[in-house]
Amino acid sequence: MAELVRLAIVGSGPAGLSAAGRAAALGLSHVLLEKSDHLSDTISKYQKGKHVMATPSQLLLRSDQAFAVGKREDILQTWTDRTTALAVNVKYNAEVKSIRGTGPAIPGSIQKIVTRARDGSSTMTEVQRFAPPYAIELSSGETIMAESVILAIGTQGNPNLVRCPGSDLPHVTYQLDDPYAVLDEHIIVIGTGDAGIENARGLAEDPAQRNMVTVLNRAAKSTNVRESFATAKEPNALALVADHDAGKLTIRYETETKAVEPGWITLATRDGEEKIRCDRIIARIGSAPPRGFVEACGIEFSSSDRLAFPVLSPVFESSAPGIFVIGALAGYPLIKHCLNQGYDVVEFINGNTALKPADEPLLEAKFRDLPGKRSVDEWLEMLRSSIAILEAMSPLQMREFMLDSVVRSCSKGEVIFERYDSGSSLFAIAEGSVHVLTDPGDATKVVPIGKGSIFGEVGLISGRRRGATVVAAEDAICVEISRTAALKLQSQVPAARKAIELISIERQLLQIFSSGLTSADVAELVASARVENKVAGEVVLAEGEEGRDIYIVRRGSMIVERLIGGRPVFLSYLPAGSYVGEMALIDGGPRSATVRAAIKSEVVRLPGDAFARLLQRRPELLAKARSDMAARHDVNMFIESRKESFSSAVDMYSQTAQFLVDNGIGEATDVLLIDEKLCIGCDNCEKACADSHDGLSRLDREAGKSYAHLHVPTSCRHCEHPLCMSDCPPNAIKRGDDGEVFIDESCIGCGNCQRNCPYGVIRMDSEPPKKPSLLSWMLFGAGPGPGEAPKTWRKKNASGGEPPKKAIKCDMCSGIDGGPACVRACPTGAAIRVSPEAFMSVAHMESDN
């Protein structure tokens, strides 16, 4: 029998080093097992010269190892010196092959572990749990006996892989050792966590390297970098954006990899596919626990998902008695957390039950003013067990999660947020319930949401203003989860991501189909629904194909077209919140039209068979579906009836509609169009706009593109997801009560919105002086006349500099009675402001004919 040690620590990363250092300081017999010939292999593989941050900054460091902000090399040297000084018993080149219990089996402890593959297949193995001691077998054949085992092995040895055609080519890599050794290459970096950002910045740091670096970010561009880079530290994200602004590298938002081939990469972007040069791909898209090895030790995971983490107690003990898990394998990847855990777990094993985690004071402050006297652990467990999306989180993950969240106590009747409020945070109900007021004019129309559920998910998904007022129906305790924390939660806890997705789908179904449906009615549909991403131009339904599934447009927009005389004819436009596909389900037969994404979109796919069963159970829903279908059927019949006598008109309409989509109407919520058959060129529209906005017109009638008789002038489209909002430092661009996008007085004139707007509808202009009152003008001759643009305010000021400028754009005449002045001032009715779905339909073509 090999010598028995009190502790065997597997892995010498920050967590393992800290645990070994604490064991040495306490005089416990121990061994630190490291599979390489040096300490902290993961940190050693960081790129040369990497700047390592010590976050969270407010968290106290508790470890026998020192740690502060610095370069990789300096930190490793400090840890090596300290490990030597503590006389840590390190065994190098000690790769662990297996860990098995040698004590008596615990009654009833045979665990059936089901492992599911990506293709849906599953295998079941039986693992028998044992009491300590444990036999640790090394690849060399040596066996080490230990009373307790601390697994600090991390997850970096099991990286997430790029999954697309060509991803197995040799130039697709998952590691970058020395960015300065890469010269004169076109490089794609996939992943915007800390590792991906640091690799990209290292490759682009020295202009002499002549590298063309492109970073792919699946997220949309946001004014808050923490939203666009949810898994990265904020300083890293800010530095990356600064490098992009300085022209050192390129960030491509809302972009994913479609295919890889030697020398090239095909990207799926918000505007469709694009093929660009690519000599090297560096994928830093996270990693997963080495599940096979960990489960073979008798350790259970929180779920069958590949990214799930082990189930752990508050003292880091796994389901295998005597085996403890810390560090990245426990779901805590930050170095400072790992060091603290290494210290704490050894203290716990050594009997220090009074020790509280280092973040205890921070969490105590969060819970201090809440009703009821609970400890931090009791609050964390209460929140975790009460809120569905948090149930799969470990106590350790809950602690980190709550550092970025706020717990609110709400009294009955208290307004949690108002309709049209700004906000993209998510709320979860731990106690009590809330009422969602769906109709501002009728307080009786409410939707109750009870304990354990969430609300505010629309703002989280779309970033739009709050769609309803929410009040506490009774005394309640809610957790407000910042958008950043919610995105991080979804990326790290698969069960939470799935729960949020299911709830949002359920509510969208109830909103779209209404007809008195309940959650129970749509439960089967929700369980079988799938969210699918569609790039611009991608086909969702193809004319003539067989299929019964229904699709809901969750985000973005669709266009519907049909082949007439061998050419696609535009039929209609479907904004977010629409559904399509019911005709083939109800009437049978093939699809009658093609539906494709106008812009990058998300759809929810509902299985046709499940939807058909719902129609059978709820005849009122069937009646609504038949009514919607009749309207679409009328469009098809109209096209069929006119295809011979009005073939040229049909073709002209289709081309006109496609022109409008190509010029941004697919993103619009409200757009100004001018019928050139009616326009007489009087410019009343521009003059009225100027009169309504201090002499500065937001409209350029002559600019913009035309097709047939339709002209799209340079006037704001008030996009569903405005790019102008994506980089506004003072957050001066807002969305108003009627959906208008406007710029408030906090604008600093940086010009970012002008540069980001793809339609050229924003310009920078000097601020006009305040108009005098009518009385001051009449009696004292003060200033220009009301409504008149002054003559001199655009000239240089007394010091010779340009007067300050701010961004101006159409605000749909918000706050002005009667609606947009440009439309009201048009004497011939040539100018119209409409939503795309109200205009882009065959109904307009029918009225024209």
Side-chain angles (χ1 to χ4, degrees):
M1 177 71 70
E3 180 183 355
L4 180 67
V5 296
R6 180 76 183 278
L7 288 175
I9 301 111
V10 184
S12 69
L17 275 178
S18 185
R22 178 85 300 231
L26 293 174
L28 303 178
S29 62
H30 68 279
V31 62
L32 175 60
L33 303 175
E34 170 53 50
K35 67 178 181 180
S36 68
D37 61 358
H38 53 269
L39 295 175
S40 196
D41 186 55
T42 296
I43 309 298
S44 296
K45 287 181 178 177
Y46 283 178
Q47 64 190 49
K48 291 182 179 180
K50 169 180 162 57
H51 180 77
V52 181
M53 287 177 280
T55 55
S57 58
Q58 73 272 29
L59 182 65
L60 174 70
L61 177 65
R62 180 191 289 167
S63 176
D64 295 280
Q65 292 281 3
F67 178 55
V69 174
K71 288 189 176 182
R72 177 202 71 163
E73 291 79 3
D74 296 336
I75 291 169
L76 288 173
Q77 189 61 55
T78 298
W79 288 349
T80 300
D81 294 343
R82 183 60 176 160
T83 299
T84 301
L86 290 168
V88 172
N89 180 23
V90 185
K91 192 175 186 64
Y92 294 105
N93 300 309
E95 182 177 13
V96 176
K97 184 177 179 181
S98 67
I99 301 174
R100 55 184 176 82
T102 60
I106 300 173
S109 64
I110 294 179
Q111 302 294 315
K112 294 182 178 180
I113 298 176
V114 178
T115 303
R116 290 181 173 83
R118 288 185 175 271
D119 62 4
S121 62
S122 62
T123 57
M124 185 179 71
T125 56
E126 292 187 352
V127 176
Q128 191 167 30
R129 287 164 53 186
F130 292 84
Y134 285 94
I136 304 170
E137 183 181 354
L138 306 182
S139 296
S140 63
E142 181 182 356
T143 298
I144 294 173
M145 302 298 298
E147 292 181 13
S148 297
V149 178
I150 300 174
L151 285 183
I153 56 177
T155 63
Q156 291 303 309
N158 191 29
N160 297 329
L161 304 180
V162 176
R163 298 189 180 277
C164 71
S167 60
D168 56 347
L169 290 172
H171 68 291
V172 180
T173 62
Y174 299 88
Q175 183 68 40
L176 176 66
D177 296 326
D178 186 0
Y180 305 107
V182 181
L183 304 173
D184 199 20
E185 291 189 5
H186 287 74
I187 305 162
I188 300 292
V189 178
I190 304 174
T192 52
D194 291 315
I197 289 175
E198 288 157 1
N199 285 176
R201 296 194 66 226
L203 290 162
E205 183 175 357
D206 186 355
Q209 293 177 255
R210 302 183 305 280
N211 289 322
M212 301 291 290
V213 180
T214 300
V215 181
L216 305 187
N217 189 353
R218 296 178 63 181
K221 194 173 183 181
S222 170
T223 54
N224 183 349
V225 295
R226 296 190 68 191
E227 295 183 7
S228 296
F229 304 90
T231 60
K233 300 182 187 72
E234 188 169 3
N236 266 343
L238 289 170
L240 181 71
V241 172
D243 284 353
H244 168 82
D245 293 342
K248 293 182 177 181
L249 50 75
T250 300
I251 306 172
R252 299 185 65 129
Y253 296 91
E254 297 184 78
T255 302
E256 301 177 48
T257 304
K258 186 70 178 290
V260 177
E261 57 187 286
W264 298 90
I265 184 171
T266 300
L267 305 174
T269 76
R270 66 191 304 276
D271 299 315
E273 292 185 5
E274 184 178 350
K275 189 174 181 178
I276 64 174
R277 280 278 310 278
C278 175
D279 303 312
R280 182 192 300 253
I281 295 174
I282 301 170
R284 306 304 301 269
I285 49 180
S287 55
R291 188 158 183 153
F293 170 77
V294 177
E295 285 183 331
C297 298
I299 297 174
E300 300 171 15
F301 281 71
S302 59
S303 75
S304 61
D305 194 285
R306 177 177 177 269
L307 300 178
F309 291 97
V311 176
L312 303 176
S313 76
V315 295
F316 309 102
E317 190 170 19
S318 71
S319 56
I323 299 184
F324 298 78
V325 178
I326 59 176
L329 182 58
Y332 265 56
L334 295 180
I335 293 176
K336 190 182 283 189
H337 280 308
C338 292
L339 289 167
N340 283 345
Q341 288 178 31
Y343 179 99
D344 290 352
V345 71
V346 174
E347 287 287 329
F348 293 144
I349 293 172
N350 200 42
N352 186 358
T353 57
L355 180 69
K356 296 295 183 181
D359 57 13
E360 190 83 359
L362 301 176
L363 293 174
E364 283 178 343
K366 284 184 175 287
F367 300 134
R368 184 176 296 133
D369 297 329
L370 296 177
K373 294 185 178 180
R374 292 184 174 100
S375 67
V376 168
D377 286 340
E378 288 171 337
W379 272 115
L380 293 173
E381 177 56 23
M382 176 266 193
L383 297 174
R384 187 202 64 79
S385 60
S386 301
I387 298 172
I389 65 172
L390 305 182
E391 287 179 350
M393 297 184 74
S394 71
L396 307 179
Q397 290 173 311
M398 278 295 299
R399 300 186 79 93
E400 184 183 22
F401 169 76
M402 285 310 304
L403 292 176
D404 290 330
S405 303
V406 177
V407 187
R408 294 173 53 178
S409 175
C410 306
S411 302
K412 181 179 179 180
E414 181 180 341
V415 175
I416 299 173
F417 58 70
E418 296 270 10
R419 188 182 190 191
Y420 301 127
D421 279 353
S422 298
S424 57
S425 55
L426 181 70
F427 289 81
I429 307 171
E431 284 186 357
S433 60
V434 302
H435 280 163
V436 180
L437 308 183
T438 58
D439 186 346
D442 188 348
T444 65
K445 291 185 178 181
V446 301
V447 175
I449 300 179
K451 174 181 175 180
S453 192
I454 61 174
F455 60 95
E457 75 285 349
V458 173
L460 173 68
I461 293 171
S462 69
R464 294 290 297 269
R465 286 175 174 260
R466 303 297 188 185
T469 297
V470 177
V471 300
E474 55 187 311
D475 290 350
I477 292 177
C478 299
V479 179
E480 182 174 4
I481 308 166
S482 69
R483 180 174 174 81
T484 302
L487 294 174
K488 189 173 183 180
L489 171 67
Q490 292 181 86
S491 69
Q492 293 185 345
V493 184
R497 180 181 67 247
K498 185 65 175 177
I500 293 172
E501 185 175 279
L502 292 178
I503 291 171
S504 65
I505 290 173
E506 175 189 293
R507 291 183 183 160
Q508 191 166 27
L509 286 174
L510 295 176
Q511 179 182 359
I512 291 174
F513 296 119
S514 60
S515 304
L517 296 179
T518 66
S519 297
D521 290 325
V522 299
E524 182 186 9
L525 276 178
V526 171
S528 55
R530 294 207 316 267
V531 176
E532 299 178 359
N533 293 308
K534 303 294 179 182
V535 299
E538 184 174 352
V539 171
V540 178
L541 300 176
E543 181 181 354
E545 72 176 4
E546 299 295 331
R548 290 162 51 87
D549 291 350
I550 306 294
Y551 293 83
I552 292 175
V553 185
R554 190 181 194 209
R555 180 174 178 174
S557 59
M558 302 281 143
I559 56 176
V560 184
E561 57 192 14
R562 189 175 182 188
L563 286 175
I564 301 292
R567 291 175 297 182
V569 173
F570 187 100
L571 299 183
S572 61
Y573 167 92
L574 301 176
S578 307
Y579 74 100
V580 69
E582 81 289 351
M583 296 179 71
L585 174 65
I586 296 175
D587 277 356
R591 303 289 190 186
S592 60
T594 293
V595 179
R596 59 184 175 90
I599 58 174
K600 184 178 181 181
S601 305
E602 280 184 0
V603 296
V604 179
R605 184 173 185 166
L606 306 174
D609 292 341
F611 196 81
R613 288 190 287 271
L614 176 60
L615 293 177
Q616 291 176 350
R617 295 193 303 269
R618 299 302 298 263
E620 60 272 34
L621 175 59
L622 177 60
K624 180 183 186 306
R626 286 194 178 279
S627 175
D628 294 340
M629 186 178 72
R632 293 173 184 169
H633 183 71
D634 289 345
V635 170
N636 288 342
M637 292 300 294
F638 172 75
I639 289 292
E640 285 293 332
S641 67
R642 301 294 180 93
K643 69 179 182 180
E644 297 298 335
S645 56
F646 292 105
S647 60
S648 60
V650 168
D651 187 52
M652 177 63 73
Y653 171 78
S654 181
Q655 293 181 40
T656 303
Q658 186 61 55
F659 158 77
L660 294 175
V661 170
D662 292 343
N663 282 276
I665 311 306
E667 305 211 45
T669 62
D670 183 277
V671 65
L672 176 66
L673 299 175
I674 295 177
D675 187 338
E676 293 188 330
K677 292 190 296 185
L678 300 176
C679 179
I680 59 176
C682 65
D683 281 336
N684 281 1
C685 52
E686 283 195 34
K687 294 172 184 175
C689 183
D691 288 345
S692 302
H693 296 94
D694 299 320
L696 295 178
S697 175
R698 269 81 165 141
L699 167 65
D700 187 339
R701 179 186 62 80
E702 293 184 351
K705 297 181 179 180
S706 298
Y707 184 85
H709 62 92
L710 280 183
H711 180 64
V712 185
T714 53
S715 180
C716 182
R717 285 113 163 102
H718 304 278
C719 298
E720 179 75 18
H721 301 284
L723 293 179
C724 59
M725 285 186 180
S726 64
D727 191 14
C728 178
N731 197 26
I733 306 179
K734 307 286 197 314
R735 190 180 287 279
D737 294 355
D738 296 322
E740 74 276 7
V741 177
F742 67 94
I743 303 171
D744 68 20
E745 65 280 354
S746 64
C747 172
I748 60 175
C750 67
N752 287 356
C753 56
Q754 182 187 36
R755 289 187 289 272
N756 287 332
C757 175
Y759 308 116
V761 302
I762 303 177
R763 77 172 189 272
M764 309 303 296
D765 211 331
S766 302
E767 292 186 89
K770 294 187 178 300
K771 294 181 185 178
S773 67
L774 182 61
L775 187 62
S776 297
W777 174 66
M778 293 178 63
L779 297 179
F780 306 107
E788 296 178 4
K791 305 289 185 182
T792 61
W793 57 271
R794 291 182 188 273
K795 297 180 180 179
K796 292 184 178 181
N797 57 31
S799 62
E802 292 288 340
K805 293 185 177 182
K806 290 192 175 183
I808 64 170
K809 60 177 285 299
C810 165
D811 59 2
M812 285 173 57
C813 291
S814 177
I816 300 176
D817 293 338
C822 56
V823 175
R824 290 185 285 114
C826 181
T828 63
I832 57 172
R833 288 209 78 104
V834 292
S835 62
E837 61 268 28
F839 179 81
M840 294 170 64
S841 69
V842 175
H844 278 271
M845 177 183 170
E846 187 170 11
S847 64
D848 288 342
N849 288 283

